[in-house]
Structures are given as C-alpha cells and as structure tokens.
C-alpha cells in the first residue's frame, strides 16, 4: 500500500513511519477505516492480535475479533488471556514481547530516574527491552513503566522489536 488511510496520523508525526509500517505489514489495523487513534490506550486484546500476527497467525474469525489471538497468547505463554479490554502498561507490553522472544536474561543496569518504579515481575523484561533499545526514556530519561501504552507507542515498540530480532 502506498497511502496511509488514517486521517489522524499526520505525515510529520513522530510515529508516522511506525504506524505506516505496522499497517502496511498487516500487524495493526485502525480502530475504523480512517482512524488509527494514535493517542488512544492500547488494550490487551489489541496487543495479542499484533503479536499473533507477528507470529504468522491468522487472527480473523472466532467468537470475538480477538478470540484467536487470545487463544494464541495463552497457548504460547505470552499472556494469561485475562481482561482483554484492559489497558496495557508499558512494562506489561514489554513483558509480553520478552516472553514472545523466549525470556532472555541480560546483564544490563537500568539507570532511568524511575527505575525503582519497575514492578519486580517486569524487571528482567525491562532490562532486556532497554538493552536492545526497545524501550527508551522520555525527554527526562524516564521509562514510565506503569504508564498506559498508546497505540502510537505500541506501533513504535513493534517496529523496534522486529528490527532487533
């Protein structure tokens, strides 16, 4: 595809290239035909669908739009499949990507000013993500691990994840 159909993703947006990539490669869809909703919160079901598609799973069909992706996420140990419409934090998204990548252990010191806010269950995943450049700090260097993930951020995470593989 050559032209992004989403009217809410301006060409000069920091996330334009990432949104274009995930859309053109069939990894993320819009919330409707012409709306990507870059600032909207990413749900657990949305990320299951993206990760299942990365793994080559056809997510179409099923009782709900996300049922095949949910089943895939449970079967592959990426998620427990609960709370599909729940908002996803940055550390939760990183943890799902870490699990998908085989839970690698890295020796990496996170020096972000908010490193102490990383949940203990997400620490290994966050170390891995920071070590490969999957997650980066904001203008203050903070990783914001417990902040909810926007759809634009998720598109960027997916592009970085695929580039790091």
């Amino acid at each position: 595809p050559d032209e992004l159909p989403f009217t809410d993703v301006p060409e000069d947006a920091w996330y334009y290239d990432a949104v274009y990539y995930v859309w053109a490669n069939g990894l993320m869809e819009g919330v409707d035909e012409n709306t990507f909703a870059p600032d909207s919160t990413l749900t657990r079901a949305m990320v299951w669908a993206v990760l299942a598609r990365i793994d080559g799973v056809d997510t179409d069909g099923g009782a709900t739009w996300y049922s095949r992706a949910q089943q895939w996420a449970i079967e592959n140990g990426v998620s427990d499949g609960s709370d599909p419409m729940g908002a996803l934090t940055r550390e939760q998204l990183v943890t799902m990507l870490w699990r998908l990548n085989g839970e690698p252990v890295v020796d990496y010191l996170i020096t972000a000013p908010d490193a102490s806010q990383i949940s203990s269950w997400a620490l290994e995943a966050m170390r891995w993500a920071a070590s490969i450049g999957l997650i980066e700090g904001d203008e203050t260097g903070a990783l914001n691990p417990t902040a909810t993930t926007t759809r634009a951020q998720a598109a960027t995470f997916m592009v970085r994840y695929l580039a790091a593989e």
Side-chain angles (χ1 to χ4, degrees), residues 22-145:
V22 296
W23 168 76
N25 287 282
L27 302 177
M28 283 182 84
E29 301 170 348
V31 295
D32 66 37
E33 189 176 317
N34 297 310
T35 308
F36 186 78
D39 296 323
S40 293
T41 300
L42 184 73
T43 66
R44 294 172 62 86
M46 288 175 189
V47 80
W48 299 333
V50 174
L51 297 182
R53 291 175 190 141
I54 286 173
D55 202 35
V57 174
D58 178 2
T59 59
D60 292 333
T64 63
W65 65 266
Y66 58 83
S67 17
R68 287 191 176 172
Q70 182 180 34
Q71 180 181 353
W72 171 89
I74 294 167
E75 289 173 358
N76 287 278
V78 170
S79 171
D80 64 5
S82 65
D83 195 17
M85 294 303 117
L88 202 69
T89 65
R90 292 164 59 88
E91 68 184 4
Q92 288 171 332
L93 175 57
V94 162
T95 300
M96 287 187 195
L97 288 167
W98 175 70
R99 289 175 182 155
L100 181 60
N101 203 51
E103 300 183 10
V105 176
V106 297
D107 184 17
Y108 186 84
L109 177 64
I110 297 176
T111 59
D114 59 348
S116 64
Q117 294 176 17
I118 298 170
S119 301
S120 59
W121 54 264
L123 187 56
E124 288 302 319
M126 292 291 283
R127 283 185 183 143
W128 165 77
S131 76
I132 64 167
L134 179 66
I135 190 167
E136 299 175 352
D138 62 15
E139 61 278 354
T140 69
L143 295 176
N144 303 301

